[in-house]
Amino acid sequence: AQSVTQLDSQVPVFEEAPVELRCNYSSSVSVYLFWYVQYPNQGLQLLLKYLSGSTLVKGINGFEAEFNKSQTSFHLRKPSVHISDTAEYFCAVSPYSSASKIIFGSGTRLSIRP
Amino acid sequence: ETGVTQTPRHLVMGMTNKKSLKCEQHLGHNAMYWYKQSAKKPLELMFVYNFKEQTENNSVPSRFSPECPNSSHLFLHLHTLQPEDSALYLCASSQDRDQTYEQYFGPGTRLTVT
């Protein structure tokens, strides 16, 4: 079985400051890793994903994440946030054997202060 | 219409009512999903359909009954719900054959059971 832990339920950040949203996962099998974003009153949208290859993954809106297998982490980062980044961010994993079965973390609410 | 659409966007129903949620995807995908999103909890996968066949039922109570008449439409029939079933119900779709493993989400139906 797989599980995903997002250590921070809320992260307040000032505009133009850097941000890191933390994600750790647990799995006995190899997994794909994802970050999704949910803006208010909308569904989830894929930010980025790690399937294989380079452990540093770049996504949309200037976000990037680094896969660390030894620490079973997939933290999300952005060097300078904007008001428009205010949203809830979900880390997720899916096993190689059943890629359609995505397991989500409980989410981190990112709030940007002017 | 583009992407994944869901109707209605909001629904209030009593515990003895019967209602249905509708999802339609305009992306030519072959897999569709229902998720439940409750406050402070991770997204819960409820059902998965692949080529109109149900491939996953995550121990969902029988008061939730899915229907997938074709690859573009997915319904969730509701009857005798409980107040704890109040949540945001998200529909998603994906194209499993292209191995991108990305799911596209609709905006959700906000369900309130009174």
Side-chain angles (χ1 to χ4, degrees), chain B residues 25 28-32 49-52 71 94-97:
Chain B
Q25 58 98 357
H29 290 166
N30 63 297
M32 296 187 77
Y49 277 81
N50 205 307
F51 290 104
K52 303 186 296 179
S71 293
S94 69
Q95 180 60 276
D96 282 354
R97 286 173 296 188

Side-chain angles (χ1 to χ4, degrees), chain B:
Chain B
E1 295 278 14
T2 59
V4 181
T5 58
Q6 290 186 245
T7 55
R9 292 293 308 274
H10 300 271
L11 178 63
V12 179
M13 59 187 287
M15 289 191 285
T16 57
N17 291 160
K18 289 185 181 181
K19 295 286 185 183
S20 296
L21 310 185
K22 179 183 175 182
C23 174
E24 184 173 1
Q25 58 98 357
H26 309 267
L27 301 167
H29 290 166
N30 63 297
M32 296 187 77
Y33 313 77
W34 278 116
Y35 288 89
K36 177 182 179 183
Q37 186 177 25
S38 306
K40 311 291 186 190
K41 292 175 68 175
L43 265 74
E44 300 170 54
L45 178 64
M46 300 174 72
F47 302 103
V48 180
Y49 277 81
N50 205 307
F51 290 104
K52 303 186 296 179
E53 299 297 320
Q54 187 179 125
T55 57
E56 190 83 29
N57 177 337
N58 253 7
S59 304
V60 180
S62 59
R63 57 186 183 269
F64 294 92
S65 174
E67 178 190 2
C68 188
N70 55 59
S71 293
S72 299
H73 294 86
L74 185 64
F75 295 89
L76 188 62
H77 304 300
L78 317 171
H79 65 97
T80 58
L81 294 191
Q82 304 298 311
E84 60 265 28
D85 297 323
S86 298
L88 182 68
Y89 288 85
L90 292 165
C91 174
S93 69
S94 69
Q95 180 60 276
D96 282 354
R97 286 173 296 188
D98 66 5
Q99 298 184 320
T100 61
Y101 308 115
E102 177 176 356
Q103 292 187 14
Y104 292 77
F105 286 78
T109 295
R110 174 71 61 188
L111 174 67
T112 304
V113 181
T114 60

